[in-house]
Amino acid sequence: MRFQVLGPLAATVVNTPVTLPSAAQPRRLLALLLARPNEFVGRATIVDELWPDGAPPSAAAIVQVTVSKLRKTLSPGLASDAPAQRLRSGPRGYALTVGEDELDATEFVALASAGLAAEDPAAKRGLLKRALACWRGGAFCDVETGPLVEAHELWLEDRRRTVLVQLVELQLAGGDRHAVVHRLAPVVADRPADERLAARLADALAGLGRRDSALDVLRRTRRALWDEAGVTPGPELDAVYRRVAGTEWTTAGPPAQLPAPAPDFTGRAAELAEIARGLRSPAPVVVHGAPGSGKSVLAVQAAWRARRRFPDGQLVADLSRADPRDVLAGFLRALGASAAELTVDLPGLVGLWRSTTVDRRLLVVLADARAEAQVRPLLPSGSGCAVLVTARNPLPGLAAARPVPVGEMSTVDARALLAAVAGQERLAAEPAAADVVVTRCAGLPLAVRIAGLRLARRPHQRVAELAARLTDERRALDELVAGDLSVRGAVLPALHACPPADRDLLRLLGVFGRPVPDWCAAALLGRRVAETGERLESLLDAHLLTVDERGRHAVPRFVRLGLARLPGREPDRAALRRAAEAVLALAERVLSVLDPGFTPAGPPFARPDVSAARAATADPLAWRNAEVDLVAATVRLAGAHGWPDLAARLSDACLALAGSPWVSGGARAVSVAGLAAARRLGDGPAEAGKLFTLGSVHWQQGRWRQARTYFAMAGKRFRTLGDPRGTGAALVVLADIDADAGQAAFAVEELREALDLLRECGDSRGQATAAAQFGALSEDLGDVRRALESFEASLLLADGRGHDQVAKRYADVLRRHGHADRAADLLTDALGGAVRSRARHWEAHVLRSLGDLHAEAGDVGEGERCLSRSLALFEQIGHRHAAAYTHRSLAEARLRAADRDGAERHLRAAMGVFRELRDRRGTGYALLSLGRLHAGAGADGDARRVLADAAGVFEGLGFPLWELRALRELNAASSDSPARDRAREVLTKIRT
């Protein structure tokens, strides 16, 4: 199939036209997918493209229906998940598969790039002609495009013009003026305001002796520039006119005061579209944003794009440097007012300005307005005029003003801007360091530009050096200076203009280093949430705060660094204490809803805000997911300020909210802070519990040696304290670690002791966990009957989430020993419990087991769907260790589907993590699968070597059942009698 977008949208199959949908939405979606061929386009991006003015509530459903229509057109008769399906679905959206020679735009770009790079004139000319021959009209000319396709269309048209200019210049240099006239005459007739093309056409006509025709072209272009853009001819057209006419142009055109647009302007497509819509009415458009956010550059770019609609001129004034009277006088002078008319006072000038503009079509650009009073006298009266204002706040007092906020630059746009300034090759050489530079610039375009200028000025400096300097909080502002550009110079004046009380509030909010909800800000101020909102809104208007989708406020990085440069007192400890107590109160309230058995370690320090508590307990799981990082930051804050009573309670609350596993770096910091607080308080039981928690964090993150150290310390403390429940819990996890380290005998003794202790103290939950662990170890040791008995006992003892976890582990054993139906029932129930509790990591574990079950039962497709979802969840959580086990399961599924390449890819991913974390069990599993892979491919030598390694790993661990499985595979691939003898020996150790 061949697609054509360089003209009316079309598709053909073997030169036979394909009937594309006639409705607008499918055509717009197809245009978007062809603008980004072979890329997944997110559903949110599609919605924004199809409905740039706001999507209906049913947008998602409409997109699905539209995709279905396109699929039927592009891949008739194929299912959505068929391998040959062109329009594919995925977690990141939809992608249209397009071959290298199937899209005319791709062919054009390739030919254009080759032609522009060619050195031989004849070859260059041929390639450029072929590139232009790809066009049948304007790009996407019969599609109503949204902002993204429109941007791609403009880029293609700009590339087309570049090719055209290069070709006609070659033809002029070669003396082929007839070809130039033939090619340019219709283009210039259609686009008379294109000075460069008009100049080339006039030169060619004059060279052919057609002087009058050349002068007609020049005069039409001059008129078009005045009528459409409000500008006079540039130096190049002036020179051609002098050469052809033998004289200068006469009279001047309308005022054209716009500064030159930034040649490397990047991104801001949504803001440009919003400004363009706003400039279609006389109401002022106020572009407002933080210092350094690129308001002025954006306004100039938008003004240049709109200037053709204002033939009477474009007027520009900087309100930070002039008062309204001087600005009005300058505007009126540019519009032809006499000196005598400009001698009146401000009211007189305002009247003259309104009279002068009533019937004109002017674009007025007012930069750096501080207040509405500066802008009002400068508003023209004509309905055909437009006003574009830049300011730090939205100037809400301006009647009918249309605010356009300029927020942080997206990471993609920031990377593109850095590449445009510093050079793409420079960044491509150090991509990771370039990403750090972009991150440290925190979405501030001024910072990105300065970073790019510093790199461009120092071609031998490594990008990593600049990244390291920008990472240093003490030096970052000093590094971001280039000539008269300075992030510090942009941020500090805004902070100086801020009242001292607001600067104090910013310092307090900045201590948390993350977004802070309004109830926490209210606690900092010691006021009600409603009263606090006004303070926060004023700081938002000044762009000294940002707000996220949940209404939480954060201090931008450079505002925080700028505050550190200003004199002022340290953040108020009393205010921070109030906020920490408020966080603890709300966290414990949410925990009491999530776990009815939860009991705080002491009386409350403070009562939570009533409205905040009501909102949090209405959806406690959502509150937990959103605010666990705030609780973690508050733990560190309490520890740093010497409040062990708060730090200990906050640490417990944070870890309980985060659940298991919590694999981010914050987990260790919170655990260490809680341990330090318990030791400062001299609280032995708490210290033992914190040691156990720290062991759990290390264990979840794959550091088993450190985990064993902390669990052993915890167990010792629990014994000293006479706590059988804690001692038993420590022994259970120690047994798990020791079993994986090949110390199975120790593990058995530890589990037996744990069960005795937990029975004595009546801890049924603990007994259930220990029995399940004993069951898993028994299977590893070859005693299948004892494994099943232990799991049955564990199921009877477990309750709630513990029951689901036992059921999952038991199901794995049942599946491996032929009880698939019972395993399926247990896993179905366990998955329901995980989904209801929104425990994503546990849902991922159960999905992995379900995937294994389906794949082994022959339903590889359903198995892979479960395993892919499991892998995605583990990767979202950041649990690399668990994800590695899912990679191994996916490899097994791929083997069953005879996809050896896919299986090997997943096994390599798993093996890398297992070896990095020194996980012998996981390594053994992966080697067993890799051996099967080699055996299936006929690589018997590799299979024997790998399977022997797998058997050796399981022998070292003391897991006879798994060793026997490896030996069976080895015997199938080899006639080596020692392997058979060893298999018979191992078989004697297994009881079923």
Side-chain angles (χ1 to χ4, degrees):
M1 183 175 288
R2 180 166 175 82
F3 298 96
Q4 294 176 295
V5 300
L6 303 181
L9 189 63
T12 57
V13 175
V14 194
N15 297 323
T16 302
V18 175
T19 303
L20 296 177
S22 59
Q25 297 295 47
R27 295 177 67 80
R28 293 175 74 180
L29 176 58
L30 178 58
L32 174 60
L33 295 173
L34 288 171
R36 292 186 175 182
N38 302 310
E39 294 181 22
F40 277 100
V41 181
R43 293 171 179 82
T45 301
I46 293 173
V47 169
D48 291 342
E49 180 74 11
L50 298 186
W51 295 279
D53 294 323
S58 58
I62 296 173
V63 168
Q64 289 180 339
V65 172
T66 305
V67 168
S68 178
K69 288 181 180 177
L70 275 182
R71 280 202 178 110
K72 292 176 182 176
T73 300
L74 301 178
S75 301
L78 288 182
S80 61
D81 58 352
Q85 174 61 248
R86 275 189 178 271
L87 183 46
R88 295 172 291 134
S89 302
R92 293 173 292 159
Y94 302 100
L96 181 63
T97 302
V98 180
E100 291 184 4
D101 58 347
E102 290 187 327
L103 180 61
D104 58 355
T106 304
E107 181 183 0
F108 162 71
V109 171
L111 288 168
S113 299
L116 294 172
E119 296 183 0
D120 178 64
K124 189 183 191 80
R125 195 160 42 244
L127 288 166
L128 295 178
K129 284 181 180 179
R130 288 173 60 197
L132 291 174
C134 295
W135 289 76
R136 302 170 295 112
F140 303 98
C141 62
D142 63 342
V143 179
E144 183 183 351
T145 58
L148 288 176
V149 176
E150 182 181 357
H152 186 59
E153 172 192 339
L154 291 173
W155 181 82
L156 287 170
E157 292 286 358
D158 184 66
R159 194 76 172 161
R160 178 189 188 184
R161 181 181 179 278
T162 299
V163 171
L164 179 60
V165 169
Q166 289 282 315
L167 178 58
V168 299
E169 286 181 349
L170 280 172
Q171 291 172 332
L172 281 173
D176 193 357
R177 297 184 179 88
H178 286 288
V180 173
V181 171
H182 175 75
R183 190 173 291 278
L184 285 187
V187 178
V188 174
D190 187 51
R191 296 159 58 183
D194 193 318
E195 293 184 72
R196 194 171 184 185
L197 296 180
R200 302 300 183 277
L201 178 58
D203 267 336
L205 288 167
L208 292 171
R210 298 169 59 184
R211 179 175 179 274
D212 289 344
S213 297
L215 290 174
D216 279 345
V217 168
L218 293 169
R219 291 180 185 124
R220 280 201 310 271
T221 298
R222 184 189 186 209
R223 276 198 306 273
L225 288 169
W226 289 350
D227 294 343
E228 298 178 22
V231 296
T232 56
E236 185 178 13
L237 210 63
D238 274 342
V240 175
Y241 185 83
R242 282 196 303 272
R243 197 161 54 244
V244 176
T247 184
E248 300 282 349
W249 295 103
T250 58
T251 70
Q257 299 178 354
L258 291 178
D264 50 14
F265 181 85
T266 303
R268 301 297 193 192
E271 291 87 346
L272 283 169
E274 183 68 18
I275 295 171
R277 286 191 288 270
L279 292 179
R280 296 185 182 277
S281 78
V285 177
V286 181
V287 179
H288 62 96
S293 61
K295 303 181 294 295
S296 299
V297 175
L298 172 63
V300 169
Q301 189 75 18
W304 272 95
R305 294 189 178 194
R307 72 188 192 284
R308 290 189 177 91
R309 293 193 285 106
F310 302 97
D312 294 318
Q314 303 91 45
L315 300 166
V316 178
D318 185 347
L319 299 188
S320 68
R321 302 178 181 178
D323 62 33
R325 190 191 185 288
D326 293 337
V327 172
L328 278 178
F331 284 175
L332 290 166
R333 190 180 299 111
L335 293 174
S338 66
E341 291 177 298
L342 301 180
T343 58
V344 296
D345 56 10
L346 179 59
L349 287 176
V350 171
L352 179 60
W353 168 246
R354 290 172 180 169
S355 300
T356 304
T357 58
V358 66
D359 292 320
R360 299 208 187 200
R361 294 169 63 192
L362 289 165
L363 174 60
V364 179
V365 180
L366 305 173
D368 205 8
R370 294 185 298 276
E372 293 89 342
Q374 286 182 295
V375 177
R376 288 193 186 99
L378 308 177
L379 298 177
S381 59
S383 60
C385 297
V387 179
L388 183 56
V389 184
T390 67
R392 286 183 183 170
N393 66 73
L395 303 180
L398 285 179
R402 184 167 190 160
V404 178
V406 183
E408 293 180 357
M409 204 174 205
S410 73
T411 301
V412 172
D413 288 344
R415 177 68 183 254
L417 176 58
L418 186 65
V421 180
Q424 181 60 49
E425 292 183 2
R426 186 80 173 278
L427 304 189
E430 298 180 73
D435 289 342
V436 173
V437 170
V438 169
T439 300
R440 297 309 177 195
C441 288
L444 192 71
L446 177 61
V448 177
R449 180 173 295 280
I450 292 173
L453 290 171
R454 287 179 66 90
L455 290 172
R457 193 170 75 243
R458 300 172 180 174
H460 302 297
Q461 182 189 40
R462 294 183 64 240
V463 179
E465 292 179 32
L466 179 60
R469 290 175 179 169
L470 294 182
T471 301
D472 186 343
E473 299 274 279
R474 298 164 299 177
R475 299 179 56 182
L477 283 179
D478 295 328
E479 291 294 327
L480 290 172
V481 178
D484 62 351
L485 296 179
S486 164
V487 172
R488 180 177 57 236
V491 171
L492 290 185
L495 290 173
H496 279 297
C498 186
D502 284 350
R503 288 201 295 270
D504 289 341
L505 177 55
L506 288 171
R507 286 191 175 94
L508 288 168
L509 293 169
V511 168
F512 290 87
R514 65 169 313 285
V516 173
D518 54 1
W519 55 265
C520 185
L524 286 168
L525 293 174
R527 298 189 178 188
R528 294 180 180 275
V529 172
E531 299 173 19
T532 306
E534 296 180 7
R535 292 277 301 277
L536 297 174
E537 286 296 326
S538 68
L539 290 170
L540 279 173
D541 286 344
H543 293 278
L544 297 174
L545 276 183
T546 60
V547 64
D548 65 13
E549 68 282 355
R550 294 183 64 89
R552 300 174 299 184
H553 297 81
V555 182
R557 183 184 190 222
F558 294 114
V559 172
R560 181 169 47 79
L561 296 181
L563 284 168
R565 298 295 182 93
L566 296 180
R569 60 181 182 175
E570 290 294 316
D572 183 355
R573 283 174 57 85
L576 292 174
R577 174 85 189 196
R578 282 197 304 271
E581 291 177 354
V583 170
L584 175 62
L586 201 50
E588 291 185 338
R589 177 68 64 85
V590 169
L591 280 170
S592 68
V593 176
L594 290 172
D595 181 4
F598 169 77
T599 303
F605 290 99
R607 293 186 177 279
D609 178 81
V610 174
S611 59
R614 187 181 301 117
T617 54
D619 191 350
L621 288 169
W623 190 95
R624 177 193 69 185
N625 295 336
E627 304 300 355
V628 67
D629 287 340
L630 172 66
V631 183
T634 311
V635 175
R636 295 190 290 272
L637 183 151
H641 284 78
W643 300 324
D645 51 345
L646 267 177
R649 292 260 298 268
L650 281 163
S651 174
D652 289 340
C654 184
L655 292 163
L657 284 169
S660 176
W662 189 19
V663 294
S664 73
R668 266 187 290 167
V670 167
S671 301
V672 170
L675 178 60
R679 284 176 173 168
R680 288 189 63 181
L681 293 169
D683 188 339
E687 182 180 349
K690 300 293 191 296
L691 286 167
F692 187 93
T693 298
L694 198 50
S696 299
V697 169
H698 282 288
W699 182 234
Q700 290 157 9
Q701 295 176 349
R703 292 183 293 275
W704 63 270
R705 284 194 175 88
Q706 296 93 322
R708 196 187 194 293
T709 298
Y710 282 109
F711 282 133
M713 291 171 64
K716 185 177 180 180
R717 296 292 174 89
F718 282 130
R719 283 187 192 277
T720 303
L721 294 166
D723 182 349
R725 179 181 281 107
T727 306
L731 286 168
V732 169
V733 289
L734 283 169
D736 196 8
I737 295 173
D738 288 339
D740 282 355
Q743 302 293 328
F746 287 154
V748 169
E749 292 305 316
E750 286 163 337
L751 285 173
R752 284 175 174 162
E753 183 183 359
L755 282 166
D756 290 340
L757 289 168
L758 295 166
R759 284 194 200 99
E760 288 176 13
C761 66
D763 183 359
S764 57
R765 287 187 181 182
Q767 290 177 69
T769 303
Q773 185 66 23
F774 200 84
L777 180 57
S778 296
E779 190 211 8
D780 288 333
L781 296 175
D783 193 341
V784 179
R785 185 175 61 190
R786 177 169 289 178
L788 299 178
E789 291 172 352
S790 296
F791 272 113
E792 289 292 346
S794 180
L795 279 178
L796 293 172
L797 290 164
D799 59 0
R801 187 182 298 180
H803 187 278
D804 293 336
Q805 294 175 357
V806 171
K808 184 268 177 195
R809 299 180 70 184
Y810 189 16
D812 289 338
V813 175
L814 290 169
R815 168 179 57 80
R816 286 193 287 265
H817 296 282
H819 305 288
D821 290 342
R822 177 85 192 283
D825 292 341
L826 290 172
L827 289 173
T828 301
D829 290 344
L831 182 62
V835 171
R836 284 191 297 274
S837 64
R838 300 190 200 176
R840 292 188 303 159
H841 78 284
W842 192 245
E843 180 184 349
H845 280 296
V846 178
L847 283 168
R848 182 172 66 213
S849 294
L850 273 171
D852 290 336
L853 183 69
H854 284 297
E856 288 182 11
D859 190 351
V860 177
E862 183 60 28
E864 287 199 323
R865 274 189 284 275
C866 292
L867 292 170
S868 297
R869 174 62 179 159
S870 169
L871 182 62
L873 285 170
F874 281 135
E875 288 177 341
Q876 288 171 15
I877 297 165
H879 201 332
R880 293 173 59 238
H881 195 192
Y885 279 89
T886 302
H887 273 298
R888 187 257 177 180
S889 292
L890 279 164
E892 288 285 332
R894 287 288 80 212
L895 280 175
R896 288 183 171 85
D899 177 10
R900 295 191 180 91
D901 290 340
E904 184 172 7
R905 188 168 58 252
H906 283 295
L907 283 175
R908 297 298 179 195
M911 188 71 79
V913 176
F914 292 147
R915 285 178 171 163
E916 177 189 340
L917 301 179
R918 300 181 183 179
D919 180 352
R920 296 169 66 192
R921 179 195 293 266
T923 301
Y925 292 162
L927 287 170
L928 181 57
S929 298
L930 188 58
R932 291 184 186 130
L933 172 68
H934 288 315
D940 292 341
D942 290 336
R944 287 195 297 270
R945 175 179 54 80
V946 172
L947 288 168
D949 288 345
V953 169
F954 292 128
E955 181 183 3
L957 288 170
F959 293 172
L961 197 61
W962 285 101
E963 184 186 356
L964 181 62
R965 287 173 179 145
L967 290 171
R968 282 174 178 166
E969 298 286 347
L970 180 57
N971 289 329
S974 168
S975 58
D976 186 0
S977 59
R980 297 179 185 279
D981 292 342
R982 176 61 185 167
R984 283 191 287 272
E985 180 183 342
V986 172
L987 190 58
T988 63
K989 301 178 182 180
I990 296 173
R991 297 172 61 196
T992 58

